[in-house]
Amino acid sequence: MKSAIARNSIFLPEDQLLFFQANTFREEEYVRGIRTLLPYESAKDDSQRQLEEQLDHDGGDRRLDGSDLVKTIEGYRDMTSKVLEREEKRAKWMEVKDSLPRMPGVVKAQGTSGLDKILDDDDRFGVWPGDTALLTIERGAIYAVVREERTGLLGF
């Protein structure tokens, strides 16, 4: 950087070395990635919803009330299988989510129709300089190299 920057509680001095990290996808890769992730995302969310419905105090599984020992044990067995199913679906989702584009909220809520809305958003995609393919850059991170101030003879 050629000059210092200050905003809120952050100050970056001039000559600060910054690194920017963000996932970038060409339009075709982005669409393919979202379509690949969508079934994993919805299976994970559906499994969580089913578990919450079964645990619901008002309308959930009445066998878990404990009035009949045998039925309560059956209820716990079913609940355990739902928890294991949820964890399995969540683990599969975790395996693929880091290598694919982040799922925008509109796609989570509306599925493929939400994906069509994103593709129609002209501000989401741009052309990389020197190329003609559309590209999107996801929100990323900024890393600053902080030089340590050393005092004394050997930095002590």
Side-chain angles (χ1 to χ4, degrees), residues 62-118:
R62 302 280 29 122
R63 296 178 301 171
L64 299 174
D65 290 343
S67 57
D68 181 1
L69 180 63
V70 174
K71 290 188 186 246
T72 302
I73 291 172
E74 289 173 354
Y76 276 113
R77 185 191 67 213
D78 292 346
M79 184 59 58
T80 302
S81 70
K82 286 215 180 281
V83 168
L84 291 173
E85 178 184 332
R86 182 206 50 194
E87 291 303 309
E88 179 183 316
K89 289 180 180 181
R90 187 173 184 280
K92 287 179 183 177
W93 172 76
M94 292 289 286
E95 285 177 22
V96 297
K97 79 173 183 70
D98 290 333
S99 60
L100 297 171
R102 291 187 185 123
M103 182 75 71
V106 69
V107 176
K108 284 183 186 180
Q110 300 174 1
T112 54
S113 64
L115 181 57
D116 293 336
K117 288 180 184 176
I118 288 176

